[in-house]
Amino acid sequence: MIKLTIKDLRLFFKDKRSMLLSFALPIALITLFALAFGGAGQGKKDTKISMQVSDLDQTPSSASAMQVLDSLKNVELLKVPLEKAQENIKKGDQACVLIIHKGFSDSLTAGKELPLELQYDEAQEIQVGLLQQSLIPTIAMLPFNIGNPKAVMRNRFDKMVPGASDTVKQNIQHKSDGLFDAITMGEMQSDGNDNAGAGLFGGDIKMTKLVAAEKDNSLGLVQAVAGTAVMMLLFSVVGIGAGILDEKQEGTLKRLLYTPMNPIKILFGKMISANVISIFQLVVMFLFASLVFGLDIYSHLSGLIITIVATAFACSAFGVFLASFAKSRQQVQGLSTLIILVMSAIGGSMMPIFFMPAFMQKIAVISVNFWSIQSFYDIFWRNLPITSGTFLSRILVLLLIGTILNSLAVVLFRKNILKLS
Amino acid sequence: MIAIKDLKKSYNSHEALKGISFNIKEGEFYGLLGPNGAGKTTTISIMSSILTPDSGEVLINGNNIYTHPNESKRIIGVVPQEIALYNELTAEENLWFWGGLYDVPKTELKKRIDEVLTLFGLSERRKDKVSTYSGGMKRRINIAAALLHQPRIVFMDEPTVGIDPQSRNLIFEVIEKLHSNGMTIVYTTHYMEEAERFCDRIGIIDNGQIIAEGTLDELRKSSSAKETIVITFNNLNDDKVQKIQSFWKDCNHTDDKIYFYTSDLKTELSKIISQCSDAGADIHNIEIKKVNLETVFLSLTGKQLRD
Ligand SMILES: Nc1ncnc2c1ncn2[C@@H]1O[C@H](COP(=O)(O)OP(=O)(O)OP(=O)(O)O)[C@@H](O)[C@H]1O
Ligand SMILES: [Mg+2]
């Protein structure tokens, strides 16, 4: 029995492919997820959420407010002119913009409510939510840190007890002024938590949806369907592509060459069948999502069809391309498992990309998944019309990926597969 | 009809064909007989224009097959050495597919499929997946798939390797029928019985070269091929072999056997036997081989066709 075990272990360690799958792949994925969730190395440094800021006030106070925001550990501040910032959001490049309206400085000195507004893309509400968590306490504390805390207190108290007599007011004002003087003079220590006052005073930011999200379809559902569909499609399409290599191994490819048919048709045949099967597969998945989870596909039918066709085209090209340079089905499968899992992880199939740190979001564009999933977001969540430039440019990228990979496949097929010697 | 001129082909540094030439007349049954690795499949692949030779050319009806690949492909049927069928499709589906690639019209193809299935005795199993077939049945369908477009020329690359005698006989009968209908056939094999049975002319190929060519009679009469007396000895040793070789130069020695070649069996058999006992060799068995392709091959190369 021990002999049998030893034999199995020996075979296992000799098989490079299974070694790769058992060790290298999980390690690569763990690394990737760790990076994506921001747990790696430099800790939270990498997990910055980017936020655009447009300063319409243009005063020293607004500048110092921006400085305070910039010092936040997990927010990466981008100073962008308002128009440009709004455009970025509409394009889906950025989640939100914080607008410092005119009169910020005056309100700060007068201790009045600050004219701040956060315009955001509802589709990215998870990211915006994360941002709010760190933003609101800081903004709430702004008047105390860079403004006139005494004035703030007076105004607040006026609001709290509108009917109080002047003497009462003066009495309280005096006491609170004294309290702040004491803080400033260092007699009372802050407990180290800058945000201590936040709960008390509340952060007043006006929230405005710049891009409204589709109400019928939940973000999670769109993510689950689109993410999974694209990843699974990649796997199945690689299987179809590898059929060419099976034909080579089983001799039917050679037999096809005996016939008067142009050999490149063998590849075109595979491409077409891969496309048909891919489209069919995506249609089934979205129908399922519609029937079982109530995804509203009918009011977005044209966009959905366009995206399905473009996704099928790009994905099947990927499958055929992989098959055209590998030597055997086994090789394709080893290689593709790695590539697909990595692409799916960085492209947002496994989790929404806005959960990932900025640099991960930047490299996401190298994956087919990213473009496809974002297109599905465009239709189901951002509710963009099919004529929208953002949506169309993503479709264009998918078609481009498909065209390039298909062309490469043709070249490689001629070079590798048809060569029988 | 087919002219093959000085084909050379190397795989990497290995020279698989070292200059192969032969001609085949219309309606002829030409056999390429040679051992494993002789270059038979390489020759067939070049003749079916799926492999480019390093030099030399193949003319079919005077046309170079590389400048007119599709014209030649339409009149040629190729039976590959390996069974090349879609296992998950039924026999009939396979035939529809392969026949369809030659643009045989539908009604015509349907008729042809019925014909070949009857010819190969597989009509009853036509709806079964090829994966459920026995080796012999797969071989039969493998041949049938090459005949659907009624090619005038058929290349068969070892179409009967590794099958049962029953399937083999059936295939032989079909091949003979095709030949008698005037089909030009190029048949590779390493079974000399097959070459002897069918072939009008035979090219013996070894090590990438045609080492002899002609009809069976011509090959038999070729100079060095003689009748062979194979004597198996008990306890043969080098000393005894040397003694025997000193009185009979024209012989070959392998293990415990010595092959004596003679052109006059009747008078020389008794002489050989008595001289062997004079040499002290203990005779275990005597076998007489008339001249056949095996002995021709042996005399040409000094090795067996099969081992
Ligand atoms: N694709 C290839 N790459 C490298 N060498 C090859 C290739 N195909 C054939 N050869 C070599 O060329 C020589 C001739 O091979 P070929 O297949 O033509 O022989 P064959 O006569 O058909 O043999 P068999 O009876 O075994 O089928 C052999 O030595 C073989 O090893
Ligand atoms: Mg061969």
Side-chain angles (χ1 to χ4, degrees), chain A residues 269-301:
Chain A
K270 272 285 173 291
M271 286 176 183
I272 293 170
S273 58
N275 270 290
V276 170
I277 296 172
S278 301
I279 290 174
F280 183 67
Q281 195 176 338
L282 287 173
V283 167
V284 168
M285 287 194 223
F286 277 91
L287 274 180
F288 175 81
S290 156
L291 291 175
V292 178
F293 297 108
L295 183 75
D296 175 21
I297 56 174
Y298 301 103
S299 43
H300 308 279
L301 212 51

mmCIF file of all heavy atoms in Angstrom, chain A residues 269-301:
data_model
loop_
_atom_site.group_PDB
_atom_site.id
_atom_site.type_symbol
_atom_site.label_atom_id
_atom_site.label_comp_id
_atom_site.label_asym_id
_atom_site.label_seq_id
_atom_site.Cartn_x
_atom_site.Cartn_y
_atom_site.Cartn_z
ATOM 1 N N GLY A 269 -14.507 27.285 -39.487
ATOM 2 C CA GLY A 269 -15.595 26.437 -38.995
ATOM 3 C C GLY A 269 -15.620 26.423 -37.482
ATOM 4 O O GLY A 269 -16.674 26.559 -36.864
ATOM 5 N N LYS A 270 -14.435 26.291 -36.887
ATOM 6 C CA LYS A 270 -14.350 26.284 -35.429
ATOM 7 C C LYS A 270 -14.773 27.638 -34.862
ATOM 8 O O LYS A 270 -15.473 27.708 -33.860
ATOM 9 C CB LYS A 270 -12.915 25.983 -34.986
ATOM 10 C CG LYS A 270 -12.618 24.518 -34.838
ATOM 11 C CD LYS A 270 -13.239 23.958 -33.579
ATOM 12 C CE LYS A 270 -13.103 22.452 -33.493
ATOM 13 N NZ LYS A 270 -13.822 21.627 -34.390
ATOM 14 N N MET A 271 -14.320 28.709 -35.511
ATOM 15 C CA MET A 271 -14.664 30.043 -35.012
ATOM 16 C C MET A 271 -16.177 30.230 -35.012
ATOM 17 O O MET A 271 -16.753 30.713 -34.046
ATOM 18 C CB MET A 271 -14.042 31.114 -35.898
ATOM 19 C CG MET A 271 -12.544 31.272 -35.709
ATOM 20 S SD MET A 271 -11.914 32.482 -36.884
ATOM 21 C CE MET A 271 -10.170 32.426 -36.518
ATOM 22 N N ILE A 272 -16.796 29.823 -36.109
ATOM 23 C CA ILE A 272 -18.241 30.022 -36.206
ATOM 24 C C ILE A 272 -18.959 29.175 -35.157
ATOM 25 O O ILE A 272 -19.837 29.662 -34.450
ATOM 26 C CB ILE A 272 -18.742 29.689 -37.626
ATOM 27 C CG1 ILE A 272 -18.177 30.721 -38.610
ATOM 28 C CG2 ILE A 272 -20.259 29.699 -37.681
ATOM 29 C CD1 ILE A 272 -18.399 30.383 -40.062
ATOM 30 N N SER A 273 -18.537 27.921 -35.035
ATOM 31 C CA SER A 273 -19.246 27.095 -34.054
ATOM 32 C C SER A 273 -19.012 27.626 -32.645
ATOM 33 O O SER A 273 -19.924 27.627 -31.820
ATOM 34 C CB SER A 273 -18.859 25.622 -34.172
ATOM 35 O OG SER A 273 -17.483 25.453 -34.001
ATOM 36 N N ALA A 274 -17.811 28.127 -32.375
ATOM 37 C CA ALA A 274 -17.546 28.695 -31.048
ATOM 38 C C ALA A 274 -18.453 29.904 -30.806
ATOM 39 O O ALA A 274 -19.001 30.075 -29.709
ATOM 40 C CB ALA A 274 -16.077 29.101 -30.923
ATOM 41 N N ASN A 275 -18.637 30.734 -31.817
ATOM 42 C CA ASN A 275 -19.508 31.909 -31.668
ATOM 43 C C ASN A 275 -20.951 31.508 -31.414
ATOM 44 O O ASN A 275 -21.603 32.056 -30.528
ATOM 45 C CB ASN A 275 -19.434 32.779 -32.930
ATOM 46 C CG ASN A 275 -18.343 33.817 -32.827
ATOM 47 O OD1 ASN A 275 -18.468 34.757 -32.056
ATOM 48 N ND2 ASN A 275 -17.272 33.647 -33.572
ATOM 49 N N VAL A 276 -21.415 30.551 -32.204
ATOM 50 C CA VAL A 276 -22.808 30.133 -32.060
ATOM 51 C C VAL A 276 -23.047 29.567 -30.661
ATOM 52 O O VAL A 276 -23.998 29.946 -29.973
ATOM 53 C CB VAL A 276 -23.166 29.086 -33.143
ATOM 54 C CG1 VAL A 276 -24.527 28.474 -32.863
ATOM 55 C CG2 VAL A 276 -23.133 29.724 -34.520
ATOM 56 N N ILE A 277 -22.140 28.694 -30.236
ATOM 57 C CA ILE A 277 -22.311 28.084 -28.920
ATOM 58 C C ILE A 277 -22.225 29.149 -27.823
ATOM 59 O O ILE A 277 -22.989 29.140 -26.865
ATOM 60 C CB ILE A 277 -21.269 26.962 -28.699
ATOM 61 C CG1 ILE A 277 -21.512 25.840 -29.717
ATOM 62 C CG2 ILE A 277 -21.353 26.415 -27.281
ATOM 63 C CD1 ILE A 277 -20.451 24.763 -29.745
ATOM 64 N N SER A 278 -21.295 30.112 -27.984
ATOM 65 C CA SER A 278 -21.147 31.170 -26.982
ATOM 66 C C SER A 278 -22.412 32.005 -26.865
ATOM 67 O O SER A 278 -22.879 32.302 -25.760
ATOM 68 C CB SER A 278 -20.008 32.110 -27.356
ATOM 69 O OG SER A 278 -18.813 31.405 -27.456
ATOM 70 N N ILE A 279 -22.945 32.392 -28.004
ATOM 71 C CA ILE A 279 -24.158 33.214 -27.976
ATOM 72 C C ILE A 279 -25.279 32.442 -27.292
ATOM 73 O O ILE A 279 -25.962 32.952 -26.404
ATOM 74 C CB ILE A 279 -24.568 33.617 -29.414
ATOM 75 C CG1 ILE A 279 -23.550 34.614 -29.970
ATOM 76 C CG2 ILE A 279 -25.968 34.213 -29.431
ATOM 77 C CD1 ILE A 279 -23.758 34.980 -31.413
ATOM 78 N N PHE A 280 -25.386 31.187 -27.685
ATOM 79 C CA PHE A 280 -26.416 30.350 -27.100
ATOM 80 C C PHE A 280 -26.255 30.270 -25.576
ATOM 81 O O PHE A 280 -27.197 30.436 -24.813
ATOM 82 C CB PHE A 280 -26.333 28.956 -27.724
ATOM 83 C CG PHE A 280 -27.400 28.012 -27.256
ATOM 84 C CD1 PHE A 280 -28.726 28.236 -27.577
ATOM 85 C CD2 PHE A 280 -27.069 26.906 -26.493
ATOM 86 C CE1 PHE A 280 -29.719 27.369 -27.140
ATOM 87 C CE2 PHE A 280 -28.046 26.036 -26.054
ATOM 88 C CZ PHE A 280 -29.377 26.266 -26.372
ATOM 89 N N GLN A 281 -25.010 30.069 -25.155
ATOM 90 C CA GLN A 281 -24.727 29.934 -23.730
ATOM 91 C C GLN A 281 -25.099 31.215 -22.967
ATOM 92 O O GLN A 281 -25.730 31.163 -21.916
ATOM 93 C CB GLN A 281 -23.238 29.628 -23.560
ATOM 94 C CG GLN A 281 -22.885 29.106 -22.185
ATOM 95 C CD GLN A 281 -21.411 28.726 -22.109
ATOM 96 O OE1 GLN A 281 -20.773 28.471 -23.126
ATOM 97 N NE2 GLN A 281 -20.868 28.692 -20.917
ATOM 98 N N LEU A 282 -24.717 32.372 -23.521
ATOM 99 C CA LEU A 282 -25.028 33.640 -22.846
ATOM 100 C C LEU A 282 -26.536 33.874 -22.801
ATOM 101 O O LEU A 282 -27.076 34.319 -21.788
ATOM 102 C CB LEU A 282 -24.324 34.800 -23.558
ATOM 103 C CG LEU A 282 -22.812 34.881 -23.335
ATOM 104 C CD1 LEU A 282 -22.200 35.948 -24.225
ATOM 105 C CD2 LEU A 282 -22.492 35.167 -21.871
ATOM 106 N N VAL A 283 -27.202 33.563 -23.897
ATOM 107 C CA VAL A 283 -28.654 33.750 -23.932
ATOM 108 C C VAL A 283 -29.300 32.906 -22.836
ATOM 109 O O VAL A 283 -30.149 33.386 -22.080
ATOM 110 C CB VAL A 283 -29.215 33.376 -25.321
ATOM 111 C CG1 VAL A 283 -30.724 33.253 -25.269
ATOM 112 C CG2 VAL A 283 -28.807 34.412 -26.352
ATOM 113 N N VAL A 284 -28.864 31.661 -22.730
ATOM 114 C CA VAL A 284 -29.435 30.781 -21.707
ATOM 115 C C VAL A 284 -29.191 31.349 -20.313
ATOM 116 O O VAL A 284 -30.083 31.402 -19.478
ATOM 117 C CB VAL A 284 -28.853 29.353 -21.828
ATOM 118 C CG1 VAL A 284 -29.208 28.517 -20.611
ATOM 119 C CG2 VAL A 284 -29.358 28.681 -23.091
ATOM 120 N N MET A 285 -27.974 31.839 -20.076
ATOM 121 C CA MET A 285 -27.666 32.349 -18.739
ATOM 122 C C MET A 285 -28.516 33.563 -18.392
ATOM 123 O O MET A 285 -28.999 33.696 -17.276
ATOM 124 C CB MET A 285 -26.187 32.701 -18.642
ATOM 125 C CG MET A 285 -25.306 31.471 -18.577
ATOM 126 S SD MET A 285 -23.640 31.900 -18.064
ATOM 127 C CE MET A 285 -22.685 30.937 -19.182
ATOM 128 N N PHE A 286 -28.686 34.468 -19.361
ATOM 129 C CA PHE A 286 -29.465 35.668 -19.063
ATOM 130 C C PHE A 286 -30.956 35.357 -18.961
ATOM 131 O O PHE A 286 -31.655 35.954 -18.152
ATOM 132 C CB PHE A 286 -29.172 36.777 -20.083
ATOM 133 C CG PHE A 286 -27.935 37.537 -19.723
ATOM 134 C CD1 PHE A 286 -26.699 37.146 -20.206
ATOM 135 C CD2 PHE A 286 -27.992 38.626 -18.855
ATOM 136 C CE1 PHE A 286 -25.548 37.820 -19.850
ATOM 137 C CE2 PHE A 286 -26.847 39.314 -18.496
ATOM 138 C CZ PHE A 286 -25.614 38.902 -18.992
ATOM 139 N N LEU A 287 -31.410 34.392 -19.752
ATOM 140 C CA LEU A 287 -32.802 33.975 -19.615
ATOM 141 C C LEU A 287 -33.030 33.385 -18.225
ATOM 142 O O LEU A 287 -34.024 33.680 -17.567
ATOM 143 C CB LEU A 287 -33.149 32.923 -20.672
ATOM 144 C CG LEU A 287 -33.590 33.455 -22.025
ATOM 145 C CD1 LEU A 287 -33.906 32.300 -22.963
ATOM 146 C CD2 LEU A 287 -34.812 34.363 -21.872
ATOM 147 N N PHE A 288 -32.072 32.597 -17.803
ATOM 148 C CA PHE A 288 -32.167 31.996 -16.477
ATOM 149 C C PHE A 288 -32.227 33.084 -15.405
ATOM 150 O O PHE A 288 -33.077 33.069 -14.519
ATOM 151 C CB PHE A 288 -30.957 31.077 -16.250
ATOM 152 C CG PHE A 288 -30.891 30.491 -14.875
ATOM 153 C CD1 PHE A 288 -31.650 29.380 -14.535
ATOM 154 C CD2 PHE A 288 -30.061 31.057 -13.910
ATOM 155 C CE1 PHE A 288 -31.591 28.853 -13.262
ATOM 156 C CE2 PHE A 288 -29.997 30.534 -12.630
ATOM 157 C CZ PHE A 288 -30.769 29.419 -12.305
ATOM 158 N N ALA A 289 -31.313 34.054 -15.529
ATOM 159 C CA ALA A 289 -31.276 35.141 -14.554
ATOM 160 C C ALA A 289 -32.588 35.913 -14.566
ATOM 161 O O ALA A 289 -33.057 36.395 -13.535
ATOM 162 C CB ALA A 289 -30.114 36.076 -14.855
ATOM 163 N N SER A 290 -33.174 36.019 -15.732
ATOM 164 C CA SER A 290 -34.426 36.751 -15.848
ATOM 165 C C SER A 290 -35.578 35.969 -15.220
ATOM 166 O O SER A 290 -36.371 36.503 -14.457
ATOM 167 C CB SER A 290 -34.694 37.019 -17.329
ATOM 168 O OG SER A 290 -36.052 37.208 -17.557
ATOM 169 N N LEU A 291 -35.626 34.677 -15.526
ATOM 170 C CA LEU A 291 -36.734 33.861 -15.032
ATOM 171 C C LEU A 291 -36.635 33.616 -13.535
ATOM 172 O O LEU A 291 -37.619 33.703 -12.815
ATOM 173 C CB LEU A 291 -36.757 32.515 -15.778
ATOM 174 C CG LEU A 291 -37.146 32.602 -17.249
ATOM 175 C CD1 LEU A 291 -37.026 31.250 -17.930
ATOM 176 C CD2 LEU A 291 -38.574 33.154 -17.380
ATOM 177 N N VAL A 292 -35.435 33.312 -13.075
ATOM 178 C CA VAL A 292 -35.296 32.906 -11.683
ATOM 179 C C VAL A 292 -35.060 34.101 -10.755
ATOM 180 O O VAL A 292 -35.613 34.168 -9.666
ATOM 181 C CB VAL A 292 -34.159 31.874 -11.537
ATOM 182 C CG1 VAL A 292 -33.970 31.475 -10.087
ATOM 183 C CG2 VAL A 292 -34.464 30.648 -12.389
ATOM 184 N N PHE A 293 -34.249 35.052 -11.209
ATOM 185 C CA PHE A 293 -33.914 36.160 -10.315
ATOM 186 C C PHE A 293 -34.550 37.480 -10.734
ATOM 187 O O PHE A 293 -34.296 38.511 -10.133
ATOM 188 C CB PHE A 293 -32.402 36.326 -10.235
ATOM 189 C CG PHE A 293 -31.718 35.132 -9.643
ATOM 190 C CD1 PHE A 293 -30.970 34.286 -10.438
ATOM 191 C CD2 PHE A 293 -31.839 34.839 -8.293
ATOM 192 C CE1 PHE A 293 -30.349 33.173 -9.907
ATOM 193 C CE2 PHE A 293 -31.226 33.737 -7.750
ATOM 194 C CZ PHE A 293 -30.476 32.896 -8.556
ATOM 195 N N GLY A 294 -35.334 37.410 -11.785
ATOM 196 C CA GLY A 294 -36.070 38.596 -12.182
ATOM 197 C C GLY A 294 -35.221 39.700 -12.785
ATOM 198 O O GLY A 294 -35.582 40.874 -12.717
ATOM 199 N N LEU A 295 -34.088 39.362 -13.372
ATOM 200 C CA LEU A 295 -33.301 40.380 -14.065
ATOM 201 C C LEU A 295 -34.127 40.902 -15.234
ATOM 202 O O LEU A 295 -34.648 40.124 -16.030
ATOM 203 C CB LEU A 295 -31.994 39.764 -14.581
ATOM 204 C CG LEU A 295 -31.026 40.732 -15.275
ATOM 205 C CD1 LEU A 295 -30.338 41.605 -14.241
ATOM 206 C CD2 LEU A 295 -29.981 39.968 -16.085
ATOM 207 N N ASP A 296 -34.252 42.208 -15.303
ATOM 208 C CA ASP A 296 -35.098 42.778 -16.351
ATOM 209 C C ASP A 296 -34.325 42.853 -17.657
ATOM 210 O O ASP A 296 -33.592 43.801 -17.913
ATOM 211 C CB ASP A 296 -35.579 44.169 -15.937
ATOM 212 C CG ASP A 296 -36.363 44.825 -17.054
ATOM 213 O OD1 ASP A 296 -36.866 44.096 -17.930
ATOM 214 O OD2 ASP A 296 -36.456 46.064 -17.053
ATOM 215 N N ILE A 297 -34.472 41.819 -18.491
ATOM 216 C CA ILE A 297 -33.723 41.845 -19.742
ATOM 217 C C ILE A 297 -34.552 42.450 -20.865
ATOM 218 O O ILE A 297 -34.024 42.879 -21.868
ATOM 219 C CB ILE A 297 -33.234 40.432 -20.169
ATOM 220 C CG1 ILE A 297 -34.392 39.461 -20.276
ATOM 221 C CG2 ILE A 297 -32.199 39.913 -19.200
ATOM 222 C CD1 ILE A 297 -33.974 38.106 -20.843
ATOM 223 N N TYR A 298 -35.867 42.509 -20.659
ATOM 224 C CA TYR A 298 -36.714 42.883 -21.795
ATOM 225 C C TYR A 298 -36.668 44.356 -22.122
ATOM 226 O O TYR A 298 -36.765 44.752 -23.276
ATOM 227 C CB TYR A 298 -38.144 42.393 -21.558
ATOM 228 C CG TYR A 298 -38.158 40.894 -21.393
ATOM 229 C CD1 TYR A 298 -38.280 40.311 -20.132
ATOM 230 C CD2 TYR A 298 -37.950 40.070 -22.492
ATOM 231 C CE1 TYR A 298 -38.242 38.937 -19.971
ATOM 232 C CE2 TYR A 298 -37.902 38.694 -22.348
ATOM 233 C CZ TYR A 298 -38.044 38.128 -21.092
ATOM 234 O OH TYR A 298 -37.978 36.773 -20.944
ATOM 235 N N SER A 299 -36.466 45.212 -21.114
ATOM 236 C CA SER A 299 -36.417 46.643 -21.436
ATOM 237 C C SER A 299 -35.024 47.056 -21.906
ATOM 238 O O SER A 299 -34.774 48.214 -22.178
ATOM 239 C CB SER A 299 -36.868 47.465 -20.236
ATOM 240 O OG SER A 299 -36.300 46.966 -19.062
ATOM 241 N N HIS A 300 -34.118 46.091 -21.952
ATOM 242 C CA HIS A 300 -32.765 46.418 -22.421
ATOM 243 C C HIS A 300 -32.362 45.496 -23.542
ATOM 244 O O HIS A 300 -31.178 45.233 -23.746
ATOM 245 C CB HIS A 300 -31.754 46.251 -21.294
ATOM 246 C CG HIS A 300 -32.117 46.979 -20.054
ATOM 247 N ND1 HIS A 300 -31.888 48.313 -19.890
ATOM 248 C CD2 HIS A 300 -32.717 46.556 -18.922
ATOM 249 C CE1 HIS A 300 -32.321 48.681 -18.707
ATOM 250 N NE2 HIS A 300 -32.833 47.637 -18.101
ATOM 251 N N LEU A 301 -33.357 44.972 -24.245
ATOM 252 C CA LEU A 301 -33.091 43.872 -25.157
ATOM 253 C C LEU A 301 -32.030 44.179 -26.216
ATOM 254 O O LEU A 301 -31.102 43.401 -26.422
ATOM 255 C CB LEU A 301 -34.398 43.439 -25.835
ATOM 256 C CG LEU A 301 -34.475 41.957 -26.158
ATOM 257 C CD1 LEU A 301 -34.139 41.106 -24.949
ATOM 258 C CD2 LEU A 301 -35.858 41.607 -26.687
#
